[in-house]
Amino acid sequence: MAQAIANSAARISPLGYGLIALRLFVMVALLLICVPLHYLWRLLGLDRTWPRVFLAGVGMAAGLHLRRHGKRVPGALLLSNHVSWLDILALSHAANSAYVAHDGLAQFGFLKWLCSMNETVFIARDRRTDVSHQADAIRAAMDHGGTLTLFPEGTTSDGTGLLPFKSSLLGALEPLPEGAVVQPVLLAYADVPDIAWVGDEPGLDNFKRVLARLRPVRLDVHFLAPLAGDELANRKTMTAAARERLVQALA
């Protein structure tokens, strides 16, 4: 698969590069429109709508065509499989979601800026002393009624199956805030071998491959039944139950 990906990156046609240029132009235009509106909204004390409008618009510019299945619970913590950088754009559109992300992203200034505008909660898995602060940040975000998404695999997979779910990523949510809803979500791409970002493929190469596609990126977003009862007992039961839901949906 890695060799096929490398070959496809090398075979981007002139038309493909034209599509890349057009889509990048649209994305930059969206950024220039949405950022000033975001700061205006903040000055007025209004909801932070524009970052998610931007992310949803970037997804549409990238060719994302979404189909939603099941009922989304507003304000839930979503536990999703992770296949591509497109996942962020898709769930921003389909679920109006912010994200729980590893603090490694915060080392990149531009990415940190974009993530912070979308109310991303950064967590540090290797600093146990920060767990209480991380839990407070996550709970504050959930108390405001916003939807949060966490990718328990911790990295991207090839989309044909699931990697092990890391319960440590939910450590900041133990115990679970009172009244919190945890809902598994399955992201199923129609052309997953052409979309997945796996192996040693550089991120820029994957980005160009996706933007050079002539065909739309078809994605089914399945909102599965929320966890309940003993499934919510602790982080290990939550990750195990969520993964089992996704395995059944994949089958």
Side-chain angles (χ1 to χ4, degrees), residues 24-170:
L24 285 175
F25 174 81
V26 173
M27 292 175 186
V28 172
L30 282 168
L31 185 67
L32 295 176
I33 293 169
C34 291
V35 168
L37 288 171
H38 165 68
Y39 286 112
L40 175 60
W41 252 236
R42 285 188 62 183
L43 286 173
L44 296 174
L46 300 176
D47 186 35
R48 297 186 180 184
T49 299
W50 292 103
R52 290 162 202 175
V53 170
F54 167 71
L55 291 171
V58 168
M60 295 175 66
L64 263 178
H65 284 218
L66 303 181
R67 291 193 303 180
R68 299 170 182 82
H69 308 268
K71 182 178 180 181
R72 177 177 73 88
V73 179
L77 173 68
L78 306 180
L79 301 183
S80 173
N81 62 316
H82 198 12
V83 180
S84 166
W85 53 272
L86 292 168
D87 302 347
I88 306 293
L89 311 178
L91 288 172
S92 295
H93 189 179
N96 196 30
S97 182
Y99 298 89
V100 180
H102 189 265
D103 66 348
L105 282 176
Q107 298 175 10
F108 302 95
F110 181 68
L111 281 178
K112 180 182 180 181
W113 175 61
L114 284 178
C115 291
S116 298
M117 282 196 294
N118 194 41
E119 301 175 318
T120 296
V121 178
F122 293 105
I123 60 172
R125 283 172 283 173
D126 54 348
R127 294 203 300 272
R128 299 302 299 171
T129 56
D130 287 351
V131 166
S132 62
H133 300 297
Q134 295 165 16
D136 290 343
I138 292 172
R139 288 168 182 166
M142 296 180 74
D143 285 343
H144 291 156
T147 298
L148 285 174
T149 297
L150 188 149
F151 300 107
E153 291 168 297
T155 187
T156 52
S157 73
D158 65 6
T160 61
L162 298 176
L163 299 175
F165 278 18
K166 299 177 180 179
S167 63
S168 60
L169 295 179
L170 274 74

